[in-house]
């Protein structure tokens, strides 16, 4: 009777689990054309650079993703227990779990766009950066032919000769498109001479149309460079400095008499476009973590921190409050209560969360496939994605070997989890 009841389940288990595993193991010993190759496919796993990158990235995933998600879940669970709106916060943190991996990948692909006008993360990053180091409005400006300016080194420009007080100076530049001019730019105006002072104009010496305007002389059809910094340099030291008005005019004190004028490189600083979050650059070179891998891991943490928080919060609710109060009465501060009482009592729950996430990240595929652009996908490669790519390339032998490797990696973690659960049941 027992065998009759177990037979349907055993048939399904054999058809859906045991047979595929056995066939994958068998197929892993044959090459792409179906010829027996022994352990050749397994040798390929540890000699092919692309697959080695996938193995390394899987190791990074197993270490970083579960650890960060579990730590955040613990912090959220402990903090939300103390606030009135904790339930609403938990709901917000858990909501990403309702989104599919595919949808989350599309969302974060947009979030990580490098163009600050499209990518939300870089829009914030650039905004913060420009608050402390504002980029120039004239990154492409440069002197034209027969200009009184010449390169001064380091991206700056200096006058070819020294200047004299009472003699207006012309500092013409080119290279800024009309639509890129600052809104406050006004028609350029020749500076008036002032006794004992150095005056001048820095402006866009170009007017659209043949034969319009005079070279190296400002006129009303051209625009001044508002905010352009002009320095007076003597003996390599800045003795005076001024900023151009909306019409490009500036005034320097008597100390500038006999000095060279310099337009420092800060006037021509390229706009900051943020971080290439999905690029191949190394963010942690000593362990081989690049930006694209870390970015995908953060997307995963955004989805699964809520899962960790809910499980840990359930475990936290089961801790006897008398133990926490006793620790406080004995003189322990909140950090000591958390570290020496709360965390040890939550250790079984933390182990469940950590092991579950480790098994989950070993099979990660969707986020990497969607978020990582094609040109850096090899840098973000993981074993599940490499398995897919091998099947696409019709190399089912290598794909089966990767599947067997994944199985072997998951089995010890699952065995540890089963032993821990049995130990908990016996208690």
């Amino acid at each position: 009777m027992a065998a009759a009841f177990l037979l349907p389940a055993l048939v399904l288990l054999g058809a859906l689990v045991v047979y595929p595993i056995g066939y994958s193991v068998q197929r892993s010993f044959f090459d792409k054309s179906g010829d027996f190759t022994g352990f050749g496919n397994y040798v390929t796993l540890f000699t092919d650079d692309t697959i080695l990158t996938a193995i390394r990235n899987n190791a990074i995933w197993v270490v970083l993703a579960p650890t960060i998600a579990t730590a955040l879940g613990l912090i959220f669970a402990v903090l939300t227990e103390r606030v009135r709106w904790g339930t609403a916060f938990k709901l917000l943190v858990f909501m990403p779990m309702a989104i599919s991996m595919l949808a989350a990948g599309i969302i974060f692909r947009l979030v990580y766009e490098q163009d600050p006008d499209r990518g939300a993360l870089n829009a914030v990053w650039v905004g913060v950066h420009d608050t402390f180091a504002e980029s120039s409005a004239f990154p492409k400006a440069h002197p034209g032919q027969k200009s009184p300016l010449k390169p001064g080194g380091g991206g700056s420009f200096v006058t070819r000769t020294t200047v004299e007080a009472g003699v207006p100076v012309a500092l013409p530049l080119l290279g800024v498109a009309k639509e890129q001019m600052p809104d406050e730019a006004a028609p350029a105006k020749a500076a008036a001479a002032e006794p004992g002072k150095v005056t001048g104009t820095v402006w866009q010496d170009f007017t659209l149309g043949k034969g319009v305007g005079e070279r190296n002389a400002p006129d009303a059809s051209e625009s001044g460079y508002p905010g352009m910094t002009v320095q007076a340099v003597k003996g390599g030291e800045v003795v005076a400095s001024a900023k151009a008005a909306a019409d490009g005019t500036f005034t320097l004190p008597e100390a500038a008499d006999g000095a060279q004028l310099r337009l420092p490189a800060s006037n021509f600083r390229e706009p900051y476009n943020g971080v290439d979050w999905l690029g191949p650059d190394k963010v942690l070179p000593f362990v081989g973590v690049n930006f694209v891998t870390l970015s995908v891991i953060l997307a995963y943490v955004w989805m699964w921190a809520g899962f960790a928080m809910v499980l840990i919060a359930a475990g936290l609710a089961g801790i006897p409050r008398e133990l926490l109060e006793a620790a406080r009465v004995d003189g322990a501060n909140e950090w000591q209560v958390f570290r020496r009482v709360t965390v040890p009592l939550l250790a079984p729950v933390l182990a469940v969360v950590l092991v579950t996430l480790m098994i989950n990240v070993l099979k990660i595929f969707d986020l990497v496939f969607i978020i990582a652009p094609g040109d850096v996908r090899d840098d973000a490669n993981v074993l599940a994605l490499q398995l897919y790519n091998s099947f696409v390339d019709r190399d089912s032998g290598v794909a089966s070997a990767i599947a067997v490797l994944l199985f072997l990696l998951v089995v010890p973690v699952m065995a540890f989890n089963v032993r821990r659960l049995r130990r908990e049941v016996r208690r």
Side-chain angles (χ1 to χ4, degrees), residues 158-214:
V158 298
T159 54
R160 297 179 184 276
T161 60
T162 57
V163 297
E164 298 180 13
V167 179
V169 182
L171 302 178
L173 293 170
L174 301 170
V176 181
K178 185 177 181 180
E179 61 273 11
Q180 294 176 344
M181 274 289 182
D183 294 337
E184 63 271 21
K189 184 175 68 174
E194 294 186 30
K197 294 183 178 180
V198 174
T199 59
T201 306
V202 55
W203 82 102
Q204 173 83 352
D205 189 24
F206 177 80
T207 304
L208 190 63
K210 188 175 181 180
V212 179
E214 182 183 348

Side-chain angles (χ1 to χ4, degrees), residues 321-342:
R321 301 301 161 186
E322 297 82 4
L323 296 177
L324 304 180
E325 293 302 325
R328 294 187 182 101
V329 169
D330 287 342
N333 57 36
E334 291 303 318
W335 168 246
Q336 290 172 326
V337 171
F338 172 76
R339 186 165 61 91
R340 296 183 178 276
V341 181
T342 304

Side-chain angles (χ1 to χ4, degrees), residues 56-309:
R56 185 198 65 204
N57 285 341
N58 258 98
I60 293 170
W61 269 88
V62 169
V63 172
L64 290 184
T67 304
I68 297 173
T70 303
L72 286 177
L74 175 62
I75 293 171
F76 291 156
V78 171
L79 294 182
T80 53
E81 196 181 44
R82 299 173 174 270
V83 294
R84 185 179 303 174
W85 41 267
T87 302
F89 180 81
K90 288 178 182 177
L91 179 63
L92 290 174
V93 175
F94 189 75
M95 278 180 64
M97 284 292 299
I99 303 174
S100 69
M101 287 279 195
L102 175 65
I106 294 172
I107 291 170
F108 274 88
R109 181 67 182 268
L110 295 174
V111 168
Y112 289 136
E113 279 280 353
Q114 188 172 10
D115 184 355
D117 294 330
R118 298 178 60 189
L121 187 56
N122 262 345
V124 175
W125 192 272
V126 170
V128 173
H129 175 274
D130 288 351
T131 300
F132 300 97
E134 187 175 358
S135 59
S136 168
F138 318 107
K140 302 296 184 183
H142 61 274
Q145 295 179 353
K146 299 181 180 179
S147 172
L149 291 167
K150 65 178 182 179
S156 65
F157 300 103
V158 298
T159 54
R160 297 179 184 276
T161 60
T162 57
V163 297
E164 298 180 13
V167 179
V169 182
L171 302 178
L173 293 170
L174 301 170
V176 181
K178 185 177 181 180
E179 61 273 11
Q180 294 176 344
M181 274 289 182
D183 294 337
E184 63 271 21
K189 184 175 68 174
E194 294 186 30
K197 294 183 178 180
V198 174
T199 59
T201 306
V202 55
W203 82 102
Q204 173 83 352
D205 189 24
F206 177 80
T207 304
L208 190 63
K210 188 175 181 180
V212 179
E214 182 183 348
R215 179 183 291 177
N216 296 339
D219 59 66
S221 64
E222 298 165 342
S223 299
Y225 279 174
M228 178 75 74
T229 300
V230 182
Q231 297 174 339
V233 181
K234 286 183 180 180
E237 294 185 2
V238 177
V239 295
S241 180
K243 286 188 177 294
D247 58 7
T249 58
F250 61 88
T251 303
L252 292 166
E254 187 176 0
D257 184 29
Q260 272 187 303
L261 298 190
R262 179 172 67 187
L263 302 179
S266 58
N267 290 316
F268 314 104
R269 185 185 297 118
E270 291 284 346
Y272 180 67
N273 288 321
V275 177
D276 187 6
W277 300 103
L278 301 181
D281 295 336
K282 302 293 185 183
V283 61
L284 295 174
F286 52 91
V287 292
V289 181
N290 48 36
F291 269 109
V292 63
T293 298
L294 185 61
S295 298
V296 181
I297 288 175
L298 292 179
Y300 177 89
V301 169
W302 175 77
M303 291 191 66
W304 286 86
F307 167 81
M309 177 195 66

